[in-house]
Amino acid sequence: VSGWTFYRQRTVRAACVAASAVLSTTMSSGRALAACDTTTPCVTGPTNLGVLPGGTASRANFISSDGSVVAGTIVYPGQTNSFVWSNGVMTDIGTVGIVGLGANGTIVAGNVNTTAVTWTSAGGIVALPYYSGGNFSIANAISADGTTVVGYSNDAGGANTYAVRWVNGVVSNLGSLGGIATSIAYDVSANGSVIVGTSYAPNEVNVHGFRWLNGVMTDIGSLGIGDTYAQKVSADGSTVIGQSTGIGFRWNSGTMIPLLLPGGSGSEVAAVTPDGSTVIGSSDDGNGNSHAFRWKNGVVTDLTPMETSPYVYATAVSNNGEVVVGWTGINFSLVNTRAWRWTAATGNVSLNTLLANAGVDMTG
């Protein structure tokens, strides 16, 4: 993956949140905020999660499926740690790089340096075992039920890297598509039964996307000549989304289709609803600008048709596919960056406007 694409993929992954709520970070105060249901505009002001003693800023990146637990990062002078916030209490969990929350936030998956770990309030940080005597592992996702973590690990010789899963802390190799012995697992279904990622196929120089179920790894195909990354799977395991030859795709029941706006030549996908019926992402518009889009039941909708900014990204979607959130900016700095929320009824509305309409004093 190119550095630019990898940055955007990591940014999207960090920004994707459960569909039960929307998260935001204030740009002026540097405090994490949890706010807003997904069926109506905000009716109250956001809750400031604050910072721990000695901290200077916080950012909320993840929320549990029931909306009760928030996780993110907290900045101290010279150091950034992660936190878990629950029932009004913020807990510093150290340098864990969080990748997801399982079981309504009671278990966290992440990485400490080059070791995949989990964290719980009862047990703290627990290192997940390397595969077959290896010395390197990375976690990429955790199932909603909290039983399964997926990622990759090397073997004892260190020459090969395999997609792996940890089920209740026990590691197993998912194998490969038969080519070069390198594979990576990126995401897992809600119950841990379906896993997606990338692997080399026999006699191929490009990686292919895979879907793993019941011990069988299936090549999901490609949109052309080039790399294919299966990045996310729907909660029910039926639908895979990712990028192939620079174009976002949706795969279901053996069929892969490209997802992009009319006239566009490249796109990225960010999230999929639990049943796979809706996918959101960003696509070029044929004129050099990036627009956010929604694909729902075969219909592609431009969510930002009047936007001329080169950077417009959709980051999350509600479970029913009717509410999408994202951000717009002229670059990747926080200057001139705008968070927005889209519904068919309201169109694209700035989060600042929603907050002001809810009676929040936006002065300063």
Side-chain angles (χ1 to χ4, degrees):
V1 183
S2 70
W4 169 244
T5 301
F6 180 75
Y7 176 84
R8 287 187 287 179
Q9 289 172 347
R10 288 296 299 271
T11 300
V12 167
R13 184 178 300 121
C16 287
V17 298
S20 59
V22 176
L23 294 181
S24 173
T25 303
T26 60
M27 302 308 176
S28 57
S29 65
R31 298 294 188 267
L33 307 176
C36 307
D37 68 27
T38 58
T39 57
T40 61
C42 298
V43 294
T44 62
T47 299
N48 185 347
L49 304 187
V51 294
L52 290 168
T56 59
S58 59
R59 180 181 294 270
N61 293 327
F62 301 92
I63 191 164
S64 61
S65 58
D66 67 356
S68 66
V69 179
V70 178
T73 55
I74 184 167
V75 179
Y76 300 97
Q79 181 176 338
T80 299
N81 285 5
S82 291
F83 73 82
V84 173
W85 180 96
S86 178
N87 296 320
V89 177
M90 179 180 283
T91 302
D92 187 324
I93 67 171
T95 59
V96 178
I98 299 173
V99 299
L101 308 180
N104 287 334
T106 59
I107 182 170
V108 173
N111 301 287
V112 176
N113 296 321
T114 56
T115 300
V117 302
T118 58
W119 177 92
T120 62
S121 60
I125 298 173
V126 175
L128 296 173
Y130 302 120
Y131 170 69
S132 188
N135 61 2
F136 177 95
S137 64
I138 294 293
N140 281 328
I142 184 171
S143 60
D145 65 6
T147 63
T148 305
V149 178
V150 300
Y152 56 99
S153 177
N154 64 357
D155 57 15
N160 300 317
T161 300
Y162 298 100
V164 297
R165 66 170 180 164
W166 293 270
V167 178
N168 296 319
V170 178
V171 65
S172 60
N173 180 0
L174 302 183
S176 72
L177 292 174
I180 300 171
T182 298
S183 55
I184 298 174
Y186 285 127
D187 199 17
V188 58
S189 63
N191 65 3
S193 64
V194 178
I195 300 169
V196 299
T198 60
S199 174
Y200 285 96
N203 304 315
E204 288 282 347
V205 296
N206 299 112
V207 293
H208 290 209
F210 72 76
R211 180 177 183 266
W212 182 97
L213 174 64
N214 296 326
V216 178
M217 182 179 288
T218 301
D219 189 333
I220 65 171
S222 173
L223 294 176
I225 299 174
D227 291 327
T228 298
Y229 298 92
Q231 297 166 307
K232 293 185 179 296
V233 62
S234 59
D236 65 4
S238 67
T239 304
V240 182
I241 64 171
Q243 193 171 40
S244 179
T245 66
I247 298 173
F249 71 80
R250 175 184 184 269
W251 179 99
N252 182 279
S253 301
T255 300
M256 179 184 291
I257 60 172
L259 304 180
L260 72 172
L261 294 172
S265 60
S267 61
E268 297 176 347
V269 290
V272 58
T273 53
D275 64 358
S277 65
T278 303
V279 180
I280 55 104
S282 303
S283 168
D284 75 273
D285 62 356
N287 297 312
N289 298 313
S290 173
H291 286 211
F293 73 84
R294 180 186 73 163
W295 180 98
K296 183 169 185 176
N297 296 323
V299 178
V300 177
T301 302
D302 188 338
L303 306 185
T304 51
M306 306 305 294
E307 187 62 67
T308 58
S309 167
Y311 305 117
V312 185
Y313 296 101
T315 56
V317 60
S318 60
N319 284 348
N320 63 5
E322 292 302 309
V323 183
V324 182
V325 296
W327 62 274
T328 300
I330 61 172
N331 52 42
F332 279 107
S333 75
L334 299 184
V335 179
N336 297 319
T337 298
R338 177 176 68 86
W340 51 259
R341 176 180 182 273
W342 177 95
T343 71
T346 65
N348 188 288
V349 182
S350 166
L351 181 61
N352 280 17
T353 299
L354 293 174
L355 292 173
N357 291 344
V360 178
D361 182 1
M362 301 299 290
T363 304

